[in-house]
Every structure is written in structure tokens, then in C-alpha cells.
Amino acid sequence: KQEVTQIPAALSVPEGENLVLNCSFTDSAIYNLQWFRQDPGKGLTSLLLIQSSQREQTSGRLNASLDKSSGRSTLYIAASQPGDSATYLCAVKGNQFYFGTGTSLTVIP
Amino acid sequence: GAVVSQHPSWVICKSGTSVKIECRSLDFQATTMFWYRQFPKQSLMLMATSNEGSKATYEQGVEKDKFLINHASLTLSTLTVTSAHPEDSSFYICSARPAGGRVDEQFFGPGTRLTVL
């Protein structure tokens, strides 16, 4: 069974810092990997989707990379802002979505 | 486009009662909808997959007689938690795959917070 792990579980940084969130998965047979944002008590907002054949995707200040062979993905956030504070989930799509437990990010003004 | 709504957004009920949660695709037809559950500090776990007009497929460990799923139309799926107990308190999120969409394409609803007293 696919297992998805996210490190760190929580992260607190001062505003303006660049940061990296890590995601690892055990089964490389995936269709894609997605990074989501979840605000407290809210649903999921898709941030970036990387197909299994791709290496990275970029959207604004966000950059996600995928190394399928090693079962790893990173989400890079540049110039962090207080509004980036949320829980970030990665999910890999095999026969279903498998989610990590998330990284709770706090950006301090 | 591709908006999924859930109703209610939160519900509090007494132990032993049944609660119905609706998941609607607002601007597209969804042949397949998915129901997830998220306990505090834990990840989302898939509970079941529902296909319009057929019985839902439940993941291992999910009681199909307790979590009744109906997907009667291409825009609506409902999850009924029967005889709810405090351990059923959780955040329930649905997602919908557009008809004819890619197998990896899903749009998520905002979730429903269920608290059973």
C-alpha cells in the first residue's frame, strides 16, 4: 500500500524567507503528484499538479519538483508571506489519491 | 469553473441520530464522486467511491451499512452517517471527477465538520 510522508510536520518562518516542504512516497507507480493547501476547517485548494512524466511545475512563488524514481517531491515557496500560513498536503495518484499528513506552515509577520 | 459544494458546512448532532451530507458539482457533471474522512492531525483517507446509478465501492474498514452513499444524479452524491457516535466526529470531504475527465482529475469540496455529542 502506498504511504506518503511529509517532513516537517510543522514549520514556522519569518516573513520573506524561502522555504522547502518535503514529501516522500513508497510506490513510484503513480499517475501524478499534487500539492494542496488546506486552511483551518476548510477544504483543499490545488496548488500544483505534476504528471508522472514531468520533473517540476511552477506557479508564481511556488515551485514543485518530482523525482519519481526516488519517491520524492519538494514544494519550494519563495519570499513567504503571512497569507501563506496554512497546512500543505501532498497527494499521489495511483488507483486512488493517497495523502500525506501535511506540513503546518506559519509565516510570522 | 469546476466548483464542488458541500452542505452543510458543519453539523452537530446527538449520538444515535443520522446525518446526511450533500456533495454537489455546480458547473459540471460528475460520473464519479469520492468521499474522504479526516481526523484531527491525520491525513485524508478515502472512504468510498460512488458512481452515478450504481452502488458505491467502500474501502477496507469502512462500514457500508453505517455510511450510506447515494449518487442518484450526475451532480449530487449524499453520504448519510447512520446512528452516529462520537467516534464518527470528523471532517468529511467529497471530490468529483468530471464526466469524460482524466482519471487523475478531481475537484474537492470545502468539507463538512461533523461533531457527534
Side-chain angles (χ1 to χ4, degrees), chain A residues 14-16 37 61 79-86 105-109:
Chain A
E15 181 177 1
R37 169 185 174 137
R61 295 182 292 110
S80 58
Q81 302 171 356
D84 295 331
S85 299
L105 172 66
T106 302
V107 180
I108 304 167

Side-chain angles (χ1 to χ4, degrees), chain A residues 18-75:
Chain A
N18 303 324
L19 58 101
V20 175
L21 308 181
N22 297 290
C23 173
S24 62
F25 49 96
T26 55
D27 187 348
S28 62
I30 63 172
Y31 286 107
N32 63 45
L33 182 144
Q34 274 190 272
W35 282 93
F36 294 90
R37 169 185 174 137
Q38 184 177 31
D39 292 284
K42 301 289 180 64
L44 307 180
T45 301
S46 180
L47 298 173
L48 289 166
L49 182 153
I50 311 176
Q51 298 292 348
S52 61
S53 58
Q54 297 176 322
R55 297 285 290 184
E56 67 177 337
Q57 282 287 335
T58 298
S59 176
R61 295 182 292 110
L62 306 179
N63 176 277
S65 68
L66 173 64
D67 184 342
K68 201 173 72 163
S69 60
S70 66
R72 295 181 182 178
S73 176
T74 61
L75 178 65

Side-chain angles (χ1 to χ4, degrees), chain B residues 38-85:
Chain B
Q38 184 180 35
F39 291 109
K41 304 292 186 183
Q42 296 186 25
S43 182
L44 275 77
M45 297 295 292
L46 180 66
M47 298 175 65
T49 302
S50 74
N51 292 295
E52 186 265 339
S54 64
K55 290 184 178 180
T57 303
Y58 291 81
E59 295 300 306
Q60 191 173 6
V62 179
E63 300 174 57
K64 62 179 181 181
D65 295 328
K66 180 171 184 61
F67 299 98
L68 302 179
I69 292 174
N70 184 285
H71 191 164
S73 79
L74 287 172
T75 59
L76 173 65
S77 176
T78 60
L79 168 67
T80 301
V81 183
T82 62
S83 187
H85 291 284

